[in-house]
Amino acid sequence: MAQPETSKPTPPLWQDGWYRFARRLESPNFGPRPAGVKPALIVIHAISLPPGDYGSGQVQRLFTNQLDWDAHDYFRSIRGLKVSAHFFITRDGQLWQFVSCNDRAWHAGESSFRGKDNCNDFSVGIELEGLEGLFFEQAQYDSLSSLSASLLQAYPIHHVAGHEHIAPGRKQDPGAGFNWAMLRRALGLGPASFPADTADSAPE
Ligand SMILES: [Zn+2]
């Protein structure tokens, strides 16, 4: 007799570095992590394409090399750019995944964290749809918090930083509008897990 539908086991939360609750859209822009290196850091970014336009779908196109470079002046200025992040969270909290967390996505560029260069090697990159310096939506914090908590369970991650902290002077995202206190509370991590200048980013 056939097994009833309800007896199917629940799929695991993570499978080969892919998160069950994310929409999977595979990017060709990735590579292997160095041998034996596991993610130890979450890097928070802000992005929107063109900057300030939300819900356009263009970020997903950029990360999959499908962007029409001639569709906007701004796109011409980044023509040929090959980048990716592991995750993208839209303004309404929708979660997309482009690269397995077991692999190395191309989000950080030239960067350094606690004396270690090339943060792409040992980090998971999460892009929030937004503009650096401006605010983010509660739905984004909700998605980010549950995703980050799950990442902390699955990987030996002990730190969270912004792109601005690992590429100071070159990058400003996510910027002053990002509520670090909210993420800290949600994850139950101590201040030592966050960059020093995020300690008073918002009242506790
Ligand atoms: Zn960034």
Side-chain angles (χ1 to χ4, degrees):
M1 215 170 111
Q3 290 280 317
E5 197 70 14
T6 50
S7 74
K8 273 187 185 165
T10 312
L13 211 45
W14 293 95
Q15 203 151 26
D16 300 326
W18 294 91
Y19 188 47
R20 172 153 63 98
F21 295 120
R23 294 174 181 222
R24 179 169 173 163
L25 180 61
E26 293 185 28
S27 170
N29 304 333
F30 73 95
R33 294 187 188 278
V37 172
K38 287 188 162 39
L41 168 73
I42 291 172
V43 178
I44 310 284
H45 302 258
I47 190 172
S48 48
L49 287 176
D53 253 34
Y54 300 153
S56 66
Q58 305 284 28
V59 173
Q60 291 91 327
R61 287 189 194 101
L62 175 67
F63 288 169
T64 52
N65 299 342
Q66 301 291 318
L67 194 65
D68 175 3
W69 306 111
D70 292 313
H72 191 278
D73 278 345
Y74 181 78
F75 301 164
R76 284 184 200 108
S77 77
I78 57 168
R79 187 187 292 272
L81 187 67
K82 284 194 174 172
V83 289
S84 63
H86 294 92
F87 296 98
F88 174 56
I89 301 174
T90 62
R91 296 300 282 188
D92 59 2
Q94 217 177 74
L95 179 62
W96 295 73
Q97 183 171 4
F98 303 89
V99 174
S100 160
C101 293
N102 298 342
D103 286 321
R104 182 182 184 279
W106 301 347
H107 57 98
E110 197 182 312
S111 54
S112 180
F113 181 76
R114 298 194 165 203
K116 282 168 74 180
D117 292 343
N118 298 316
C119 294
N120 283 338
D121 287 349
F122 56 91
S123 67
V124 170
I126 304 177
E127 298 269 3
L128 301 177
E129 189 171 33
L131 267 184
E132 59 197 29
L134 299 188
F135 78 100
F136 298 88
E137 300 286 351
Q138 184 59 48
Q140 295 183 289
Y141 288 107
D142 293 345
S143 282
L144 175 63
S145 298
S146 48
L147 168 63
S148 301
S150 191
L151 281 166
L152 261 54
Q153 296 276 322
Y155 296 98
I157 292 173
H158 299 289
H159 292 96
V160 186
H163 202 185
E164 61 195 293
H165 302 109
I166 61 166
R170 190 172 71 82
K171 291 291 177 179
Q172 284 92 42
D173 60 313
F178 183 75
N179 190 336
W180 286 98
M182 199 184 295
L183 184 60
R184 218 165 39 233
R185 275 197 305 271
L187 296 182
L189 290 175
S193 293
F194 293 85
D197 73 346
T198 64
D200 53 9
S201 72
E204 287 283 351

